[in-house]
């Protein structure tokens, strides 16, 4: 803890909003969704009030902190954006007002975005495994570092500036990727034009030893962490580039299929998705012993006596 900082319970800087609405009209309501691991708050699919059976509801205000009763232990906490002002939340969520005389909303934002509270809330959750709930009292008892307001302001400005630079870099990278994606097929077509005697045409079947598709169980939304098994998404296959980080973690309730794990020089082909994403090809650069193919990917293994995997 830095000099001049204190550690305080959230109850000292947040106050629960207990204003509930008992009855809803038979109209469409905007709803909020809170992503896991500090990834923010978004609008969910609207719902008709006549179809919502819970007894208590609230309407969120922009700038409030919203907490998922079930998934707060996995970082499903965030600040309501302007677009969520007036949106409906059910009794499976709690909302809190920030006390600005003690803490800046920006400081709370970065605490939540960094998923700082997960260890404390996981320890304080109660109930059956997987559905252990975090009650408001446990949330308000969780502690955060609290610098003086002036330091909070400087740190928030610094973190906001870094985030802006990262966002800009990501945009530039995406633009560069798009340029390469447009150029690559033209260069490839030129390179694959027969360049002299000895070239011949073969079918894919003639130059591979195996072809198979994978398995797509219901997975978690976040990628596999160290030691976890994951199932590759179709976005892991980009033209000429394999991106293993594009995967979904296999839940602990499912048994992995090791034979579906990808190996160096496997050639992966997308076989489902939007038209411009079907038939995209990439080669695996190294063994990924805990990442398996989904049923939307085809895996080819080259007959090395006939063709180099990278050439395929």
């Amino acid at each position: 803890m830095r000099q001049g900082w204190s550690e305080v319970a959230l109850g000292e800087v947040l106050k629960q909003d207990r204003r509930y609405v008992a009855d809803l009209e038979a109209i469409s309501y905007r709803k909020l969704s809170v992503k896991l691991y500090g990834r923010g708050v978004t609008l969910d699919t609207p719902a008709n009030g006549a179809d919502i059976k819970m007894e208590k509801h609230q309407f969120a205000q922009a700038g409030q902190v919203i907490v998922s009763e079930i998934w707060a232990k996995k970082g499903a906490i965030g600040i309501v954006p302007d677009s969520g002002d007036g949106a409906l939340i059910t009794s499976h969520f709690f909302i809190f007002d920030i006390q600005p005389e003690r803490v800046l909303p920006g400081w709370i934002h970065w605490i939540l975005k960094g998923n700082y509270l997960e260890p404390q809330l996981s320890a304080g959750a109660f109930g059956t495994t997987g559905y252990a709930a975090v009650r408001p009292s446990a949330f308000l008892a969780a502690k955060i570092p609290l610098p003086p307001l002036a330091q909070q302001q400087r740190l928030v400005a610094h973190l906001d500036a870094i985030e802006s630079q990262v966002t800009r870099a990501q945009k530039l990278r995406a633009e560069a990727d798009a340029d390469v994606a447009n150029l690559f097929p033209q260069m490839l077509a030129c390179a694959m034009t027969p360049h002299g005697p000895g070239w011949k045409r073969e079918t894919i079947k003639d130059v591979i030893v195996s072809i198979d598709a994978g398995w797509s169980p219901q997975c978690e939304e976040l990628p596999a962490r160290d030691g976890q098994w994951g199932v590759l998404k179709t976005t892991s296959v980009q033209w000429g580039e394999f991106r293993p980080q594009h995967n979904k973690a296999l839940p602990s309730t499912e048994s992995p299929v090791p034979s579906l794990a990808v190996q160096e020089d496997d050639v992966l082909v997308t076989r489902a998705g939007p038209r411009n994403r079907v038939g995209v090809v990439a080669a695996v650069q190294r063994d990924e012993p805990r990442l398996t193919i989904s049923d939307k990917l085809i895996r080819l293994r080259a007959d090395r006596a006939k063709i180099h995997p990278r050439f395929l």
Side-chain angles (χ1 to χ4, degrees), residues 2-256:
R2 295 187 183 182
Q3 187 174 4
W5 291 31
S6 56
E7 186 177 55
V8 303
L10 282 171
E12 295 187 32
V13 296
L14 301 179
K15 182 179 180 181
Q16 187 176 4
D17 182 343
R18 298 179 179 274
R19 293 171 294 175
Y20 293 97
V21 176
D23 299 313
L24 297 176
E25 299 179 56
I27 60 174
S28 179
Y29 289 94
R30 293 177 304 132
K31 291 177 62 182
L32 290 178
S33 175
V34 189
K35 296 183 177 181
L36 299 179
Y37 302 111
R39 293 163 60 222
V41 181
T42 61
L43 286 172
D44 202 351
T45 305
N48 191 293
D51 299 327
I52 301 175
K53 305 305 180 184
M54 295 181 180
E55 295 182 357
K56 295 194 303 182
H57 315 84
Q58 290 182 279
F59 292 99
Q61 297 177 2
Q64 288 184 313
V65 173
I66 180 171
V67 178
S68 167
E69 177 183 31
I70 302 299
W71 296 113
K73 61 184 181 293
K74 294 293 185 182
I77 314 167
I79 294 181
V80 178
D82 291 342
S83 60
D85 190 54
L88 178 72
I89 64 170
T90 68
S91 55
H92 282 313
F93 295 85
F94 309 109
I95 49 178
F96 301 85
D97 293 312
I98 295 173
Q99 307 300 299
E101 68 278 4
R102 293 291 312 278
V103 65
L104 296 179
W107 185 250
I108 293 293
H109 163 77
W110 283 108
I111 288 286
L112 300 180
K113 190 163 186 174
N115 201 22
Y116 181 85
L117 299 173
E118 181 181 355
Q120 297 180 69
L121 297 183
S122 294
F126 71 94
T128 58
T129 302
Y131 291 93
V134 173
R135 303 301 300 167
S137 57
F139 177 69
L140 292 174
K143 294 185 177 181
I144 63 169
L146 191 68
L149 283 172
Q151 287 190 36
Q152 290 180 43
Q153 192 167 22
R154 288 195 296 271
L155 288 166
V156 167
H158 181 61
L159 292 169
D160 287 348
I162 291 174
E163 183 180 45
S164 178
Q165 292 171 4
V166 169
T167 300
R168 183 171 180 274
Q170 290 171 333
K171 180 181 178 182
L172 291 173
R173 169 64 189 269
E175 292 172 352
D177 285 348
D179 290 341
V180 171
N182 291 331
L183 180 62
F184 182 69
Q186 302 171 36
M187 298 177 64
L188 183 61
C190 180
M192 290 296 143
T193 302
H195 285 73
W199 285 62
K200 59 182 179 179
R201 290 187 179 275
E202 298 278 10
T203 66
I204 297 296
K205 180 181 178 180
D206 291 331
V207 296
I208 63 172
V209 295
S210 67
I211 176 172
D212 48 18
W215 169 57
S216 294
Q218 187 68 38
C219 291
E220 299 176 13
E221 285 301 315
L222 290 176
R225 296 183 175 183
D226 291 343
Q228 277 187 299
W229 283 81
V231 177
L232 292 167
K233 300 161 64 175
T234 57
T235 53
S236 67
V237 179
Q238 303 292 331
W239 281 114
E241 181 184 358
F242 175 58
R243 300 178 181 176
Q245 68 273 23
H246 287 230
N247 69 79
K248 293 184 177 182
L250 187 71
S252 58
T253 53
E254 296 282 359
S255 298

